[in-house]
Amino acid sequence: MLDKILEAFPLLKSSEKIVMEEIRKHAVIASIPKGQVVFFEGDECKNMALILSGSVRVYKTAENGREITLYRLGAGESCVLTASCIFAQNTFPAVAVTEKEVEAAVVPSYVFREWIDQYSVWRDYVFNLLSKRLSSVIMMLEEVVFLRMDIRIAEFLIKIYGLGESDVIITHQDIAMELGTSREVVSRILKNFEGEKLISQKRGVITVHDIDRLISKVESEK
């Protein structure tokens, strides 16, 4: 177990021996299947999870049912909202669901609070986590407030293309949930992109044909 944790969280390798002993004593490896809700909004945060593999999406849902992704978590990461929830002893303010099967080292919340108090390696980890997530959420808010939806959708397609995927296997509803808008708006904008020969579409698949013009479209608005 410890080897898996150290591989995903290499900052712990140089920590004190007592830190290793505490991990062995309190951490439990858990497997969470794909599509499992980890937290609903308003849930109590009883544990802190150190993700070893897989992917978790954290999002907010509006009263009208629209969703917007706050961030994703992968191997070597933990949820800053869970940390905040534990420290402030509040309830979880969003929804967290697994997108891929997750393996995580789970630690009781009271133990994690003690670790933060006693060990500098965990304090540094949480401060870095807060800094990273705060920056990413601010960037997301700037996009929501200041960028037109067509530019945000273009950026979304560019990001996926950058992962080596010219064929994007995703529905219009999935994009709407990701960006916090309606499926109808996404469909209209993608239809316009198709008319401009930037992309083509078939059911559940969007193919990017002109990545350079998509990039130019985004850059012209920034």
Side-chain angles (χ1 to χ4, degrees), residues 34-81:
K34 176 182 177 180
Q36 178 75 43
V37 175
V38 182
F39 284 113
F40 287 103
E41 188 165 352
D43 280 353
E44 182 182 355
C45 298
K46 297 180 180 180
N47 299 290
M48 185 67 172
L50 309 174
I51 297 178
L52 308 178
S53 65
S55 175
V56 178
R57 176 181 175 238
V58 181
Y59 65 93
K60 287 285 287 183
T61 303
E63 290 183 2
N64 62 8
R66 291 186 185 177
E67 299 176 1
I68 185 165
T69 300
L70 299 178
Y71 52 82
R72 283 182 168 81
L73 302 169
E77 297 182 311
S78 297
C79 179
V80 67
L81 289 180

Side-chain angles (χ1 to χ4, degrees), residues 83-142:
S84 174
C85 172
I86 289 171
F87 298 146
Q89 298 185 331
N90 292 327
T91 56
F92 197 75
V95 180
V97 62
T98 57
E99 291 188 311
K100 299 177 181 177
E101 181 178 359
V102 166
E103 185 177 45
V106 179
V107 181
S109 59
Y110 75 91
V111 171
F112 195 71
R113 281 197 299 269
E114 291 175 357
W115 287 0
I116 299 303
D117 289 339
Q118 296 177 25
Y119 308 116
S120 61
V121 65
W122 286 116
R123 285 195 297 274
D124 292 344
Y125 173 72
V126 170
F127 289 146
N128 288 333
L129 182 66
L130 288 168
S131 175
K132 177 182 177 181
R133 289 303 173 202
L134 181 60
S135 297
S136 66
V137 170
I138 287 174
M139 288 177 61
M140 182 270 294
L141 289 174
E142 287 177 342

